[in-house]
Every structure is written in C-alpha cells, then in structure tokens.
Amino acid sequence: MPTGRPSTLQDPAEIRTYKGQDRALRANRLGTAGLLLSVLAASAPLMVVAGVMPTTFGVMGIVGQPLLFVILGAVLALFSVGYAEMSRHVHNAGAFYAYIARGLGPTAGAGASLVALVAYSAMQVGVFGILGFEISGLFATYLDTEVSWWIPALLAVAVTGALGWLKIDLNAKVLGVLLLVECVLVVVFDIAAIAKPAAEGLSLHAFNPETLGGAGFGTALCFCIAAFVGFEQSPVYAEETSKPHIVVSRVMFLAVGFAALFFAVSAWALTVAAGPSEVVRTSAEAGPTLLFQLTESRLGTTFTDVLHVLFVTGMFAAMLSFHNVVARYAFAMGREGLLPATFGRTNAGTGAPATGSLLQTGVAALVVIAFALTDDNPAGDPTTPVLHLFTWMGSVGALGVTLLMAAASFAVIAFFVRRGTAGAQIWRLVAAGTSGLALLAIAVYTVKDFGVLVGAEKGSALTWVLPGIIGAAVVTGLVYGALLRRSRPEVHARIGLGNEAFRLDQAAEGTPSD
C-alpha cells in the first residue's frame, strides 16, 4: 500500500469502469452559464425577498438588513479568493470536506463531511415548510379549499426526489429558466417601490450602521448568509464541468457579486415601500405575505398572482439545487468509505448520484412528517411551518455552512503552507485568514443570539438544542474520523482524495495504472 497521498487524477473513463462500477460523475456536462444558474438557484431570490427578508426585519428587528448584505458580500468575496484558488488544485464533489481534509487533515475532513450533510439537508428541508405554507394559502385563496401545509410539502419531497435521478444538465435548464423569471419579477417590484415609496420617501436610513443594533444582530447575520448559500456549491460540480480550474472560480465570484448587489437593493426597496420606521412592525404582522401586500398596492392583483406562482417555482428550484448538492456529498463520502460503498456509485443511465438522492428524499420526508405530527393545529395556525420548519432548519443549516466556510478558510492556509507555496499565495492566504476570522465571529454571535430567532425565554432548551444539532455533527464526525484512523487507516487515508483514491485501490491490488 502506498504511504503518500497521490497528487494526480486518474483518467475518468478508467475510473468509471473499475470493477464494473460507476466511480465518477459524468464530466463536461456544465459550462459557466449552466453552473452559474444551478448555484444561484439555491439562493432562490424570490424566496429570500419574500421569506428571509421579512423574517429578518420582523423577528430579529434589524432595519439595516440592506447594509448587512453589503458587509456579508465583502466577507464572502474575501472568502472566495482562497476558496477559488483551492478549487484549482482539488476537484471533488465533497468540496467543503475535501478542502478541509486536504488542509487540516482527514480527521477534520470527516467531521466536516457530516456537518455538510446535516447543514445542507436542514436548509433543503426548511424550504419545504415555507413551500407548504404558500401552496396551502393558494388553495385557500383561489380554490376556497383548506389543505394542510404538510400535504403539498410531502408531494414536493417526492417530486424533488424523482428529479434527483435525472441528468444534471436537464436540472440546470429547469433551474435557469425559473431563476431568470423570478429575478425579473423582483427587479420590477424594486422599481415600483422606488417609484412609489412610503411616506418617508426614498430614505437611505437602512444603510446607517446604527440600524444594525439589536438583540437579534448575530442571528440576522447567519440568516442573511443563508441567502448567499449556493455560491460555495460550485466546486461540488467541478467533476461535471468543462475546464473546472477556470469555470468554478469564475462562477463563484459572479454568484457572490450578483447576490450581494441584488439582495442589498431588494432589501432597501422593502424598507422604502414599507417605510424604515414601519418595516419591522409591518414585517412582524405580515410575515411572508409582506412582499405580496406591497406589490398588490403598486402593481395590481394580476402581477401579485403571478408572483405567488413564481414564489412556489422558485422554492422548488432551491429545493432541487440543495437536493443535488446533498446527493453529491453523499456520493463523495460513499466513494471514499465514509458512507457505505453503495452511495459511491452513480445511476448507470444518467450518471446521477442516485443513492444519495434517495437518502436525502428519505430524510426530508421524515422531518416533514415529524413537524406535521408535532404541529398543534396545522389548519388553524398556518404560520407554523414558516416560523418553525423554515426558520429553525434554515438557521441550523446556515450556522453549519458558516462554520464550514470558516474551517475551509483556515484549511486553504494550511494547504499552501504544507505545499511550500505560501509565499507565492500570500495575498490569497491573508484574504482567507481575514474571512475565516470574520466567519468564525459570525458563528459565535449566531449561537449567542439563537434564542431571539425562536422567540424563547432565557434558559429555554431551544436556545441550545438547535445550534447543538451542528455541534453534535462536528463532534460525531471528528470521533468517527479518529476511529477510522485507528481501525481502518486505508479508509482514513482516502478522505478528501475523491477520484485520486482510485490509485490507492490499484496500488493495493497490484493493478496497473494504465
């Protein structure tokens, strides 16, 4: 068995046919446009404007949300400098945990892999809550029919799982069309809000740093980071892109820049339309209906009806995007031995990571059912899936992704220092270190303020149970990695290698590499 970690990738065709198993995802299936649309779809711009922004205003009381998006955009741009450079050297569907493993060691990579699965699964499952709420409202409004939120949520779980078996290029086209249409609608609202502001006029008060004060500041930071989630997923598709060393980094910077500008302007438009002094109260009363109330008074009923429909399709696009990412993380973990080997094989007909897709579908179904069973009054309290499933799970997922980004920043530094190229990469490493410290601070603030999000009194178990989900994933993953190092060192050595682990198999069995 070789003692070192291989540094070159094996031919994809050879990897695919090793022992008759599909060990690699299909290459050259995504270009710049397809990948950009796929990762931006995860942020679901309309869902952020209609769901995340009213929650940040109303629940957390942060008027300066537009300024938050500008600040976070700068932090994530710094993060992307090192992350993008790392993507040129490591191509692995388990992007976060692979980078962390290559920089901080396989045990840390094992911990990160479990955090990634939990975080992205939580974010996807959270979307089912707000989707169920919206579809239930559409049935009540247009068909005068009461439908409990969990029924359309479970149907969406099934449809998303089925599409998870399809080719990624088909999904990219579906996601892209939905994304473009909802972006256009949000821009139309922004223009209408500016053209017809509230009594306070075109106020820039929301960009005043003083508006960032409040008990919910930390949680608002984390919740707004959730709006950016998607840009960091581009390395997940590196094995499926053409020229990954160019396309992945390009898409990352385009996605961060677009999200920061788009969300800052849209959040400001909401404050202009509702009035800076009234946006917190109005958001708390209206919840996810805030955007639709503001559009109906400015753009009419027909536009608002179309917006409702696109709100649903935008959420569907986000669910599908998160589903694809979780399936690929599971595939990468199965290929390297962190999960059973069946997860490391693709669908023979489509090249999709089918077993990982089934895993995520099962997890989503179980969580939605659990929330449905514990909902005290599903029909009488339709906001439950928004306030609980969407907000809780979305924040848990955002906390996990924030910690992963912080760890990846430090892993970038360690990776290039160990390679002896720190001098040549010094400005990138400074950017990575700065962003890593900032992201770590955001995670600490988030845990500190988690009680604000759940509306819990001091000492409530919810203030530590929810962030404790990510803490438990970290500890469990690290313990699992340490056990693998002692009991299965050959599996431990694979963590983060991706297709490069194939050479370890060949060397161990005495198989020629060509």
Side-chain angles (χ1 to χ4, degrees):
M1 178 179 296
T3 58
R5 292 163 76 86
S7 58
T8 59
L9 293 173
Q10 197 70 13
D11 177 67
E14 182 181 4
I15 295 170
R16 184 179 307 285
T17 58
Y18 177 62
K19 289 187 175 181
Q21 300 175 3
D22 282 346
R23 301 274 305 264
L25 297 165
R26 297 283 176 85
N28 300 317
R29 302 179 70 165
L30 286 171
T32 298
L35 181 57
L36 179 62
L37 292 173
S38 292
V39 299
L40 283 177
S43 66
L46 188 52
M47 184 182 71
V48 172
V49 178
V52 172
M53 291 181 186
T55 301
T56 304
F57 284 130
V59 177
M60 300 161 205
I62 302 297
V63 177
Q65 189 174 176
L67 182 58
L68 273 187
F69 283 115
V70 174
I71 294 171
L72 289 173
V75 171
L76 296 179
L78 283 175
F79 164 78
S80 298
V81 170
Y83 194 61
E85 183 63 22
M86 192 74 165
S87 72
R88 299 175 185 274
H89 298 267
V90 180
H91 302 158
N92 192 320
F96 266 137
Y97 89 79
Y99 293 1
I100 292 170
R102 299 291 282 267
L104 303 179
T107 300
S113 69
L114 189 56
V115 172
L117 273 186
V118 171
Y120 283 118
S121 293
M123 297 195 81
Q124 193 224 21
V125 172
V127 179
F128 287 115
I130 194 169
L131 177 79
F133 167 82
E134 178 63 16
I135 293 180
S136 176
L138 291 176
F139 269 86
T141 300
Y142 298 105
L143 300 177
D144 196 25
T145 302
E146 293 293 332
V147 176
S148 295
W149 67 269
W150 55 267
I151 295 176
L154 284 177
L155 288 174
V157 170
V159 173
T160 303
L163 287 178
W165 286 71
L166 299 180
K167 296 185 295 183
I168 183 62
D169 51 358
L170 174 60
N171 286 345
K173 293 173 183 176
V174 174
L175 296 176
V177 171
L178 296 177
L179 173 70
L180 291 174
V181 174
E182 61 181 292
C183 284
V184 170
L185 292 182
V186 172
V187 170
V188 171
F189 162 73
D190 293 344
I191 295 172
I194 294 171
K196 189 180 179 182
E200 295 170 70
L202 290 176
S203 172
L204 294 175
H205 178 67
F207 290 100
N208 187 331
E210 294 179 358
T211 61
L212 297 179
F217 175 69
T219 308
L221 277 172
C222 186
F223 212 58
C224 288
I225 275 187
F228 284 89
V229 169
F231 84 95
E232 84 295 343
Q233 296 174 10
S234 53
V236 173
Y237 298 96
E239 297 178 37
E240 300 167 79
T241 61
S242 56
K243 300 179 180 179
H245 59 291
I246 297 175
V247 172
V248 170
S249 59
R250 178 191 297 160
V251 165
M252 208 178 305
F253 285 108
L254 287 173
V256 170
F258 171 82
L261 177 62
F262 187 86
F263 293 140
V265 171
S266 297
W268 174 64
L270 284 175
T271 68
V272 168
S277 64
E278 293 293 319
V279 69
V280 170
R281 181 189 62 81
T282 306
S283 297
E285 294 174 355
T289 66
L290 173 67
L291 175 66
F292 305 105
Q293 292 179 11
L294 295 174
T295 56
E296 186 159 7
S297 63
R298 288 167 174 79
L299 296 165
T301 302
T302 301
F303 182 90
T304 304
D305 291 342
V306 173
L307 202 63
H308 272 294
V309 175
L310 267 296
F311 185 32
V312 172
T313 59
M315 287 185 286
F316 178 76
M319 290 185 300
L320 189 54
S321 182
F322 283 127
H323 183 93
N324 288 335
V325 169
V326 173
R328 278 154 181 77
Y329 267 100
F331 166 81
M333 293 170 69
R335 181 171 58 184
E336 296 174 11
L338 286 166
L339 288 178
T342 186
F343 288 97
R345 303 187 187 112
T346 58
N347 185 307
T350 66
T355 310
S357 179
L358 286 176
L359 172 67
Q360 175 59 12
T361 301
V363 169
L366 288 175
V367 175
V368 170
I369 290 171
F371 270 84
L373 292 176
T374 55
D375 186 353
D376 294 333
N377 189 3
D381 183 16
T383 62
T384 296
V386 178
L387 296 179
H388 293 173
L389 185 55
F390 174 65
T391 308
W392 293 4
M393 292 296 99
S395 296
V396 167
L399 174 60
V401 173
T402 302
L403 287 173
L404 287 171
M405 287 193 288
S409 295
F410 301 127
V412 168
I413 297 173
F415 177 79
F416 289 108
V417 168
R418 290 167 63 179
R419 287 169 64 98
T421 58
Q425 303 282 0
I426 186 63
W427 74 275
R428 292 186 176 92
L429 302 191
V430 170
T434 303
S435 65
L437 292 174
L439 289 163
L440 200 57
I442 291 172
V444 171
Y445 267 109
T446 299
V447 174
K448 175 178 173 293
D449 291 347
F450 229 92
V452 176
L453 171 65
V454 298
E457 297 180 359
K458 187 176 181 180
S460 170
L462 286 175
T463 61
W464 58 266
V465 168
L466 291 175
I469 294 172
I470 296 300
V474 172
V475 173
T476 302
L478 290 175
V479 170
Y480 180 45
L483 290 175
L484 285 176
R485 183 176 182 180
R486 295 185 60 183
S487 61
R488 301 178 65 191
E490 73 285 354
V491 173
H492 187 266
R494 293 172 178 268
I495 299 174
L497 291 181
N499 285 338
E500 298 178 42
F502 174 69
R503 295 186 64 196
L504 291 177
D505 292 339
Q506 290 183 316
E509 299 175 10
T511 305
S513 61
D514 50 44

